[in-house]
Amino acid sequence: MTGVHQLTRRWNRFFFAPDAAENLAVCRILFYGGLLALNWHKDFAAWGQIADVFWMPEKCWPFEYFNIPLLAPPILGLMSVAWKVSLGLSCLGLLTRLSSVMSFVLGFYLLGLPHCFGDLAHGDAAAVLILGVMTLARSGDALSLDSTLWPRSVASSGEYRWPVRTVWLILSTVFFAAGYAKLSQGGLGWAFSDNMSFILAEHQFPPEHPEALIPWGKWMARQSWLARGLGLATLILETGYPLAMFSRRARFIFVPGMLLSVVGFRVLLGPSFFPLILCHVFWVRWWPQKSRVMIGASSQKPHLTAG
């Protein structure tokens, strides 16, 4: 039983140790604001104009399981506007609970639509899960219009810690699953073969892959040692990413390393993972814990430790 009690204490300390409301509030501002910026120019109504023959809800299992239909373009247009408004309100922290629920419900549907047509967007699933977490979080208790219009005293609490740690868990699951899939399907050969060379070369030739920002992939594909090194680094970063939840030293290796890897995918291969990059705002300690605040604490710079 002693081991169970120790495990329970560690679990509670990891998820529910008191934390500053302002740290979660900054994550709220950056996450919702960034998601709004990423989707500002997207025309979700256009998906309703595609022929029904291309509608494949099995590509996004919640749509198939709950028999969610494809709505008409005018309705999708209204939902798109409502979603962007709710993201803006969530960012500002006005009617935060209601706006965050709307952001999640509408975002779940709108971000899922492209997947039902086979247009898979990496990072959307993580963004939707985090939207769901934020519906339950008390993210509007500080640095919000709600706290300005209806002021009240706010003390450090585990309510401001568990949402951040849950996002860590979501991201760790996403990246570990990607690494596990590579190892289970290709083994170490995924890295120690010519696999990465083929991937780098393939994404340099339009029209199939016209989005690589620079043509370095052709040269890198010919350097087998470099391509295999990149493949090995990818496996290590993805499978080792969960270590960042428990070790500060690992956090300074795997979180920046994964961010650089995601940016590298965009530059060398073309696929965009901007939602995953945005989700990493939850890894940064934006606000010192109130229990540690001293004179001059407001001048502390953001860092990747989380208390």
Side-chain angles (χ1 to χ4, degrees), residues 32-222:
Y32 283 110
L35 203 57
L36 177 59
L38 289 177
N39 293 277
W40 180 259
H41 295 292
K42 288 186 178 180
D43 179 17
F44 291 97
W47 292 104
Q49 301 172 0
I50 301 177
D52 291 341
V53 68
F54 297 107
W55 175 250
M56 299 177 290
E58 65 274 11
K59 295 292 185 178
C60 187
W61 71 263
F63 279 73
E64 181 181 35
Y65 185 83
F66 295 105
N67 197 25
I68 300 175
L70 173 63
L71 300 176
I75 299 177
L76 291 177
L78 291 175
M79 291 177 65
S80 178
V81 172
W83 185 48
K84 294 170 185 178
V85 170
S86 66
L87 288 175
L89 292 178
S90 298
C91 175
L92 296 173
L94 179 61
L95 302 175
T96 311
R97 181 70 69 187
L98 176 60
S99 61
S100 62
V101 170
M102 290 181 60
S103 295
F104 168 61
V105 174
L106 295 173
F108 171 86
Y109 185 86
L110 294 175
L111 292 179
L113 275 182
H115 295 253
C116 294
F117 289 99
D119 184 15
L120 305 182
H122 298 282
D124 282 352
V128 169
L129 290 174
I130 295 173
L131 284 172
V133 171
M134 295 299 281
T135 64
L136 305 175
R138 288 169 48 184
S139 63
D141 286 358
L143 305 181
S144 65
L145 292 179
D146 285 345
S147 62
T148 301
L149 296 173
W150 301 284
R152 62 173 181 169
S153 59
V154 178
S156 295
S157 169
E159 290 287 349
Y160 310 120
R161 185 182 184 92
W162 74 260
V164 174
R165 293 301 172 94
T166 303
V167 172
W168 290 12
L169 179 60
I170 291 171
L171 292 176
S172 296
T173 303
V174 167
F175 286 115
F176 178 80
Y180 176 78
K182 293 178 177 65
L183 286 174
S184 63
Q185 296 180 23
L188 292 177
W190 193 93
F192 293 109
S193 67
D194 293 328
N195 174 63
M196 184 57 71
S197 293
F198 288 130
I199 293 175
L200 287 167
E202 177 190 12
H203 283 75
Q204 305 304 310
F205 296 96
E208 290 81 6
H209 303 287
E211 297 180 352
L213 297 183
I214 57 177
W216 294 358
K218 297 177 184 178
W219 175 83
M220 296 174 69
R222 293 193 294 267

Side-chain angles (χ1 to χ4, degrees), residues 24 69 84 101 125 127 142 146 153 196 209-212 223 239 243 254 261 263-264 268 275 282-283 301 303:
L24 177 60
K84 294 170 185 178
V101 170
D146 285 345
S153 59
M196 184 57 71
H209 303 287
E211 297 180 352
Q223 317 302 316
T239 56
L243 295 175
F254 288 98
S261 179
V263 172
L268 295 174
F282 287 88
W283 281 105
K301 297 180 179 180
H303 53 87

